[in-house]
Amino acid sequence: MEVIFLGTGTSQGVPMIACDCTVCTSPDPRNQRTRACIHVVMDGLHIQVDASPEFRLQCLRENIRQLDFFILTHGHADHVVGMDDLRRFCDLNGGTALTVYSTEEGMGRVQSIFPYAIHDRPVSKGYAAFKLQPMPAVLELPQGTIRSTLLPHGRINTLGLMFEEKSSGRKFAYYNDCKSVPPEAVALARGADVVVLDGLRPELHPTHMNIAEAIAAAKEIGAPLNYLTHLTHLLEHGQLTADLAAEKPAIRLAYDGLRLKL
Ligand SMILES: [Zn+2]
Ligand SMILES: [Zn+2]
Ligand SMILES: [Zn+2]
């Protein structure tokens, strides 16, 4: 299994527009964060999770050439607005609609932003077409299994995802955009080789976990390796990486372009 971090930034991105702070002006590329989404390859099956405003640029940067289906974790703009650029993959797949799994909230948002794309086939060559499907609790595929759970994120819920590749047995959990990890989600992520958690910033936030909350969730789940994502400009990569170095289990900061081979 391979996980490619296309983006690891919070909804504003880093650098933030018109900010001269040390992180926004840092020359370290790991402090330059496009909006959060990931690409997962499970035994040759390419799954895209969310499409940020920079999705097209992220695909070019990481040489993403194939996409078999799409999962939208929730309908917030920083995860949904790049979806029109999925048109290229509809075309590459022979002019077919791309299956999009999400929650009721996520599917409603896709329908209202991209009404022209809710068709069995692209209405014209090169257009996007989406086949909306509710994300099941267990999605069985020839290449493995994707299990989902709901994570609280303010007034809505985010899909928390656990990928298990059939051939290798490796497991990967992706819990972005959440204020907490409820007991069912802790249970689902147990046994994961790597867990990714929302770790917005040092200060508390009403709808995202801060660094301390993310560390506590990582300890409760107990995976050997954890990464934080959806990061603001209040987090300097080198400094926080050093601060987290002594944590057990290991907690690291994700960055754009990070590739995990599990
Ligand atoms: Zn977000
Ligand atoms: Zn800044
Ligand atoms: Zn969100």
Side-chain angles (χ1 to χ4, degrees):
M1 179 149 50
E2 183 173 22
V3 179
I4 305 164
F5 288 81
L6 300 185
T8 56
T10 189
S11 55
Q12 297 244 27
V14 184
M16 187 165 69
I17 293 171
C19 183
D20 301 317
C21 79
T22 53
V23 176
C24 287
T25 57
S26 164
D28 185 341
R30 295 168 307 176
N31 282 322
Q32 291 157 14
R33 303 167 179 133
T34 56
R35 270 60 72 86
C37 59
I38 59 166
H39 188 85
V40 180
V41 187
M42 213 166 57
D43 255 349
L45 185 74
H46 289 251
I47 304 143
Q48 178 63 32
V49 180
D50 295 337
S52 83
E54 293 95 352
F55 177 63
R56 172 179 158 272
L57 297 172
Q58 294 167 334
C59 287
L60 294 172
R61 190 190 72 214
E62 298 304 326
N63 196 25
I64 304 297
R65 310 186 75 91
Q66 182 186 340
L67 208 158
D68 294 304
F69 63 90
F70 183 84
I71 303 175
L72 178 69
T73 59
H74 65 301
H76 283 166
D78 51 325
H79 302 263
V80 74
V81 300
M83 282 183 70
D84 183 68
D85 285 318
L86 294 167
R87 59 199 291 180
R88 177 65 179 138
F89 297 101
C90 296
D91 216 22
L92 288 171
N93 291 346
T96 55
L98 195 69
T99 300
V100 170
Y101 291 101
S102 194
T103 59
E104 285 298 323
E105 180 270 337
M107 290 190 290
R109 192 57 71 94
V110 173
Q111 243 157 346
S112 58
I113 301 177
F114 308 105
Y116 57 87
I118 312 303
H119 294 287
D120 292 339
R121 303 182 63 77
V123 285
S124 272
K125 184 172 161 48
Y127 275 50
F130 304 138
K131 195 169 19 168
L132 296 174
Q133 299 271 354
M135 181 69 194
V138 183
L139 181 60
E140 293 279 6
L141 303 156
Q143 298 85 352
T145 307
I146 306 172
R147 292 183 171 81
S148 70
T149 186
L150 293 176
L151 307 170
H153 183 39
R155 278 176 294 184
I156 63 166
N157 292 311
T158 299
L159 285 174
L161 302 169
M162 172 76 147
F163 298 81
E164 180 174 2
E165 188 177 58
K166 192 175 275 177
S167 62
S168 65
R170 302 307 294 259
K171 295 180 191 168
F172 166 76
Y174 187 66
Y175 289 179
N176 64 307
D177 287 62
C178 57
K179 178 57 190 169
S180 66
V181 180
E184 318 83 72
V186 170
L188 183 66
R190 287 240 163 94
D193 299 284
V194 176
V195 173
V196 176
L197 294 163
D198 185 352
L200 188 74
R201 63 185 191 187
E203 296 79 16
L204 286 167
H205 185 278
T207 65
H208 290 270
M209 296 194 290
N210 69 358
I211 298 295
E213 289 168 323
I215 291 172
K219 287 184 194 303
E220 202 180 350
I221 295 165
L225 182 55
N226 303 272
Y227 282 91
L228 307 185
T229 191
H230 215 284
L231 312 172
T232 71
H233 69 145
L234 300 171
L235 304 171
E236 201 287 311
H237 187 93
Q239 181 62 53
L240 187 56
T241 298
D243 293 347
L244 294 171
E247 290 290 345
K248 294 250 177 342
I251 297 174
R252 298 180 189 163
L253 293 187
Y255 54 88
D256 287 27
L258 171 66
R259 285 171 181 251
L260 301 178
K261 291 228 165 61
L262 306 183

